[in-house]
Amino acid sequence: MRAVRPSLLASRACLGVMVAVVVLLISSVVRAETKGRAIGFSNLVLRIDADDSLGIDDGKYRVYILEELRKNGFNAVGAENVVFGKDKAEAAELVLGGTVNELECRDVNSLRSCRIGVEWQLLEVATDTVVYKKQARRAVLDVAEKDLAMLPRRLIFGALRSMYVRTVFQEIANKKVAKAPAADPKFKEATYAACATEPKEMPGSSEGLLDGTVVIESGQGSGSGFFLTKGLVLTAAHVVVSDTVKVRTRGGKELVGTPLRINKRFDVALLTVSTDNNSCVPTDAKALATGADLWALGAPAGKALAFSVSRGIVSAVREIDGVRYLQTDTSLNPGNSGGPIVAKAGKAVAIASWKLTGTKVEGLAFGIPMGDALKALGLVEGETTSGSLLKERVVSRKLAKPETLTDAADPVPAMTSLAPTSETLPQPTREVKKGISGGTALVMGGILLSGVGAVLFGLEAGKDEPSLVIPAFLTLGGVGLMLGGVAAGRSRRKTPGSGGPGGQTAKTGTTLGLSFSGRF
C-alpha cells in the first residue's frame, strides 16, 4: 500500500472544505435570487361536461401545487407545514388559480391514456388584477392499472410545469416592487377637528359607534364608511367609483357625498357630506399587539345587513407590495369595505380593505392601519378642520393597473398510444430475397419484441439445394443476438417456359425458417 504524507492529506482536506463552502455559498445565492414575490394558491376548478373520474376537483391539490412551486425555486406561501397547521397564505402578493377546461381519457388493452388542459391565472393582490394567463396542456400515455393513482398528479404537474418554465411567468414572479411612500406628495397637510364622541370600551360602546357609521352607494356597488368628524367621512378608495356618492346614515337619512381626497395606492378616501349629524368614530394611530381584540362595523353583503358588528383579533401586521396591512380573522364581507375596525378602547385602528378567499382559506381579512390611512391622505388631527380642505377635490396618483399578459397556448397533445394492438400495429408483410435485406425493430422495456432482419436458414421450394438468406439485422440502441423465432417469406423466381413475355413463366416459391431474437 502506498503511503500518503500527512501534509498531503491535510491539503486535500482543506481543498474539500473550500469546495464545500463555495458550493454552499453558490446555492445560497441562487436561492436568494429565485425567492421573488410571494405566490399563494386559491383553487383548482373543474369546468368540463364529463364526470371527474380522476378526482382532480379536490382541495388537496393546493398543497401539492404549492410544494411543487417551492421545489422549483418559487416563493410559494401557504401549507408550509400541514401536520402542524403552519400556513402563511395571507402573505401572498400574487395568487395562482387554475381552471381545468379540457380532460379526455382513453382505455386500450388495460392501459389508460389521458390529456388535460388547464387555464392558469395569476392575480396581483395589490391591484386586484389578473396579470398572467396561460392555457397549458399535458398528455400522459399508457398508464397501467397499478399506476392510475398517480395519473391525476402527473397530468396537473405537467400542465403546471408548462406554465412556470415560461419566461413571462418567471419575470412576473420575480418582479421587484418599489415601496410606496407613507404620504402622497400631492396632498398638502390639512387638519381635521378631533371626534367629539367620548370613547368607551367595546363591546359596550357598539351602539354609539354604529351611529357614526354609514352605508355608501356608488355606481352599482355599496360599501361602508364612518364619520371622522362632523361633515367628513372616511372609507375605502375602491368603494368610491363616481363623482358623487349616496351616503345613508343609521337614522335612515340619505345624503350626498363628494370625494375630497382619494389615495388608491393605500385604498383610502375622504368624503365631505353636508349634515347636522355629530356622531363620529374616534381614531387611534397606535399599533396594536398581535392577539388584541377587534370589532368590525359596517354593512356585510350590502345595505340589507347594514350596521352590523363582528368580532375577531389582530392576527398580524403584513407588508404587501410596499403597503402595510393589519391582518385580522374578523368576519369581513364585500359590504364591509371602508368600515371601521375598532379596538377594545372604542377607537378605530384600521379601515377594512380586502380579504383573501379560496378553498380552505378562512379568516384572512386586511385593513389599512389608521396611522397609515391618515398619512396617505395628508390628514392630521387638530382642534378645527382646515377651511381649504372642504373646498378641494384632489385625487392622488392612481396606482396603474398592470396589463394582463396572455402567454401562448400549448398545442393539443396527441393521444397516440404506444401499446401494441391489432388495430394500431398490423403485422408487417415483407418479401424475402437472396442477399442483404434491411429491417427495423420495436424495442420496449429492454426486450426486442419483433424485428425484420435475422439470420435465416431456409429451404426455397422449387430449388434442388438449400440456400442461405442473410438479411441485415437492425436494432435501436443495442446489439441484437438471434435466438429464435418464426419467419416466413415469399420469394418470386422466374423460370424458362412458354406463355410469358420473353418466353418466361412466373413461378412462386416459399422460404421457411426458424430464428429466435433477443437483446443484451
Side-chain angles (χ1 to χ4, degrees), residues 343-358:
K344 189 173 181 62
K347 295 183 177 182
V349 293
I351 300 172
S353 181
W354 58 279
K355 68 180 295 185
L356 193 64
T357 60

Side-chain angles (χ1 to χ4, degrees), residues 312-437:
I313 63 169
V314 176
S315 301
V317 175
R318 309 282 181 189
E319 185 172 306
I320 301 174
D321 284 343
V323 178
R324 286 202 316 154
Y325 293 95
L326 184 148
Q327 179 196 329
T328 177
D329 65 349
T330 307
S331 177
L332 294 181
N333 291 283
N336 280 111
S337 294
I341 299 176
V342 180
K344 189 173 181 62
K347 295 183 177 182
V349 293
I351 300 172
S353 181
W354 58 279
K355 68 180 295 185
L356 193 64
T357 60
T359 302
K360 297 185 179 180
V361 177
E362 297 178 1
L364 297 177
F366 299 85
I368 301 294
M370 189 57 62
D372 293 353
L374 295 175
K375 286 180 182 178
L377 294 172
L379 299 176
V380 178
E381 186 177 271
E383 295 183 358
T384 60
T385 300
S386 301
S388 58
L389 178 63
L390 300 176
K391 297 177 182 178
E392 65 180 76
R393 186 192 184 282
V394 180
V395 178
S396 76
R397 169 178 47 85
K398 195 172 183 178
L399 181 62
K401 281 198 172 189
E403 62 176 331
T404 300
L405 300 175
T406 302
D407 221 331
D410 293 338
V412 178
M415 288 281 279
T416 305
S417 174
L418 296 177
T421 65
S422 58
E423 294 80 15
T424 60
L425 191 63
Q427 295 296 323
T429 57
R430 294 185 183 271
E431 190 175 32
V432 179
K433 300 180 180 179
K434 289 183 180 180
I436 304 300
S437 174

Side-chain angles (χ1 to χ4, degrees), residues 253 279 364 392 443:
K253 289 185 177 181
S279 298
L364 297 177
E392 65 180 76
V443 180

